[in-house]
Amino acid sequence: MPVIQMSNSRFTKPKGLKHEPTPYLFIANCGPAVGIPFENIESAFSIFGKVIGVHAADETGARVIVCFSEVNAAEAAIKMLNGCPCAELGGRTLHIRYSAIQPPQKQPIAFAYVRDVMQLHMDRLPKALELQVHGDNVLPVSFLASDLDIPGIYLVHDFITLEEEQELLAEVDNRKWINLAKRRVQHYGYEFLYKVNCFLSTYVSPQLRYFSFVKPDSSFWNCLHVKPVLVYSGFISWTRNVDSKQFLGELPYFVSNILQKIASFPGLVDDQNKEMDQLTVNEYPCGVGLSPHIDTHSAFDELIFSLSVAGSCIMEFRRYPLGTWQFPSASVDEINEDSTLLSSNTIRKAIFLPSRSMLLMSGEGRYAWNHYIPHHKVDIIGDKQIRRSSRRVSFTFRKVRQGPCRCAYKQYCDSQQQCRDQQLNSVELFHP
Ligand SMILES: O=C(O)CCC(=O)C(=O)O
Ligand SMILES: [Fe+2]
């Protein structure tokens, strides 16, 4: 059965009427939003040949992509069904065109980042700086952490009541928000540091790779201007970190009952320190997400709790294959979801986080998997479409680490990276 639940941007939308036949059909007036589940679409189209996938074509829920294994099957289906009412699909008239798999796009990266807190000058960035884009969004979404099956990830539904949810919102809305480019934040317990990392790779010859890893206080812009045409991939990211010496004070009284519940969170062993001392409140407007990242190991202890309030979202977890480059434990705030390095053997899993649920990231799930909130207005889960509300507010509780991290996931651990240059040399990069 095809299990393709999230909208899939790999397929081009047909432009003109004339198209070369492909095994992929773009079908308008059909989908969960008009009462036709993916399973029914699959079975209606299976009579023409083997269907290998049914995708939401976009976020409307009324346009789908049906993928056949053979082009002949797609040709037969288009001939029979285009413009005709389809009895198997509630008598709806289908509008069908051929679709194609999108060639990997190149997108300017640096652009998106520079509007964040550092307010750097966009016009000084070279236009030629480009990153390979991998836009495959296909994966099923779990409702339960046990189905997600990532060690150390737990989800408790209805962790707080509706009244508690309203109280929390009223409290944070009474306090000062810090505006980032796309979302607002509040920090409690410790001061947050936002700093920019820049990692670029220029591919000079098949034998020699030249890497630059620079910070804005050194030769950041100069480096960007080094023969930008040679820059094949790279990123600029904001590392979110805390200043462990800047204690702002105890966490506010309005989260004290949450802290108590955290102390008895199911599944945790007694010797784990459950005393949280840092809280970040994030407010995401509808459609805004958070790019893939691992919370900095050296900055925070193992347990990270995140409470969803006022709205739901999907959270995707990604485990990148060994030997490929990891963002240096960075949180990337303003990167487009498609601009992240994603290779075909990246493991991806997703879970639905409803309002009032508490997510715990610990162990492998916290240290080795990137977590990511797609930038969607509608989350498609099976044949359900869940429209994001006008905002989602998350309360992320962490414990600031006082010594180095000694986790077992050295590859992802900034405390344990002996020599970053050495690691850079083993990095696999994307090339055109
Ligand atoms: O909004 C969330 O639930 C997650 C926030 C997060 O991952 C972070 O602030 O590092
Ligand atoms: Fe995070």
Side-chain angles (χ1 to χ4, degrees):
M1 199 194 85
V3 277
I4 294 170
Q5 281 101 349
M6 296 170 78
S7 96
N8 193 314
S9 53
R10 272 186 319 153
F11 295 93
T12 53
K13 288 195 183 133
K15 291 200 180 86
L17 278 173
K18 281 248 170 272
H19 273 280
E20 281 296 303
T22 69
Y24 316 115
L25 296 179
F26 177 95
I27 302 161
N29 199 23
C30 179
V34 292
I36 308 177
F38 290 123
E39 290 75 24
N40 297 16
I41 300 169
E42 187 211 354
S43 89
F45 279 82
S46 293
I47 57 171
F48 301 100
K50 187 167 172 5
V51 173
I52 54 171
V54 179
H55 307 241
D58 55 28
E59 289 172 348
T60 62
R63 296 185 196 117
V64 295
I65 303 283
V66 169
C67 301
F68 286 100
S69 59
E70 304 285 342
V71 73
N72 310 358
E75 283 179 298
I78 209 167
K79 219 165 168 182
M80 287 291 289
L81 297 181
N82 185 27
C84 305
C86 177
E88 288 77 24
L89 298 177
R92 298 193 73 81
T93 301
L94 307 181
H95 305 288
I96 313 180
R97 309 256 187 89
Y98 292 111
S99 176
I101 293 197
Q102 197 121 224
Q105 292 168 11
K106 291 182 172 185
Q107 239 187 359
I109 56 161
F111 196 78
Y113 303 99
V114 289
R115 288 168 298 155
D116 212 338
V117 278
M118 308 281 293
Q119 307 226 316
L120 300 169
H121 300 287
M122 269 186 241
D123 52 356
R124 295 177 63 187
L125 292 168
K127 300 261 183 307
L129 183 62
E130 291 175 331
L131 182 71
Q132 292 292 306
V133 170
H134 301 260
D136 187 348
N137 279 331
V138 178
L139 82 170
V141 180
S142 306
F143 281 100
L144 301 175
S146 53
D147 294 339
L148 188 73
D149 197 23
I150 297 178
I153 301 294
Y154 301 88
L155 181 70
V156 175
H157 289 178
D158 296 313
F159 191 80
I160 55 167
T161 63
L162 280 166
E163 294 76 56
E164 287 169 329
E165 180 180 36
Q166 291 314 312
E167 278 164 28
L168 283 176
L169 288 171
E171 292 288 355
V172 289
D173 282 336
N174 246 330
R175 287 169 173 74
K176 196 172 171 329
W177 288 99
I178 301 166
N179 288 309
L180 301 184
K182 290 191 178 160
R183 57 180 215 280
R184 301 193 297 175
V185 292
Q186 293 180 12
H187 298 297
Y188 297 93
Y190 280 87
E191 193 64 82
F192 236 74
L193 300 171
Y194 289 84
K195 74 179 180 195
V196 71
N197 299 311
C198 174
F199 167 70
L200 300 175
S201 100
T202 57
Y203 191 69
V204 179
S205 78
Q207 286 76 38
L208 174 67
R209 282 170 188 178
Y210 167 67
F211 297 99
S212 313
F213 195 79
V214 283
K215 301 249 167 80
D217 50 2
S218 57
S219 55
F220 179 63
W221 298 118
N222 286 344
C223 179
L224 278 172
H225 284 282
V226 172
K227 294 210 177 189
V229 288
L230 289 177
V231 174
Y232 284 168
S233 72
F235 64 79
I236 302 168
S237 64
W238 304 108
T239 299
R240 289 186 294 152
N241 217 327
V242 279
D243 184 346
S244 60
K245 305 214 170 40
Q246 285 294 320
F247 181 56
L248 301 174
E250 300 295 320
L251 294 188
Y253 67 88
F254 56 84
V255 295
S256 49
N257 65 334
I258 298 172
L259 295 174
Q260 271 172 22
K261 287 192 201 176
I262 281 177
S264 53
F265 198 88
L268 291 183
V269 290
D270 285 346
D271 63 349
Q272 264 166 320
N273 189 346
K274 293 154 221 144
E275 272 172 33
M276 302 292 122
D277 57 12
Q278 197 276 326
L279 165 63
T280 297
V281 185
N282 276 294
E283 182 197 55
Y284 306 86
C286 180
V288 172
L290 193 64
S291 295
H293 67 280
I294 297 177
D295 287 34
T296 314
H297 287 204
S298 62
F300 304 109
D301 274 1
E302 179 186 342
L303 306 183
I304 299 177
F305 293 89
S306 196
L307 178 70
S308 295
V309 170
S312 62
C313 70
I314 280 174
M315 184 172 275
E316 183 179 321
F317 288 88
R318 290 181 176 176
R319 178 111 197 223
Y320 294 95
L322 274 174
T324 58
W325 170 252
Q326 299 300 305
F327 292 157
S329 303
S331 242
V332 188
D333 285 337
E334 296 305 324
I335 189 169
N336 181 298
E337 65 175 284
D338 287 341
S339 306
T340 49
L341 304 178
L342 189 62
S343 82
S344 57
N345 45 356
T346 299
I347 308 170
R348 301 168 63 203
K349 299 181 172 203
I351 189 163
F352 181 66
L353 305 180
S355 205
R356 298 184 301 286
S357 65
M358 178 67 99
L359 176 79
L360 165 61
M361 293 181 273
S362 65
E364 182 186 317
R366 178 264 185 270
Y367 285 132
W369 290 71
N370 279 254
H371 52 282
Y372 159 48
I373 302 174
H375 306 260
H376 291 164
K377 290 200 164 129
V378 178
D379 289 316
I380 299 176
I381 304 161
D383 55 7
K384 283 199 184 63
Q385 288 203 68
I386 301 177
R387 180 163 284 280
R388 294 220 187 134
S389 52
S390 58
R391 64 170 174 167
R392 170 179 175 267
V393 179
S394 68
F395 288 68
T396 304
F397 296 88
R398 298 177 264 220
K399 167 100 182 71
V400 171
R401 194 181 286 281
Q402 297 300 345
C405 177
R406 300 195 196 288
C407 70
Y409 305 90
K410 295 191 174 47
Q411 192 204 357
Y412 309 96
C413 183
D414 59 318
S415 288
Q416 299 180 73
Q417 279 179 26
Q418 293 301 312
C419 172
R420 198 163 258 168
D421 285 347
Q422 234 170 33
Q423 204 190 6
L424 283 175
N425 283 330
S426 66
V427 163
E428 290 243 348
L429 285 161
F430 294 94
H431 297 294

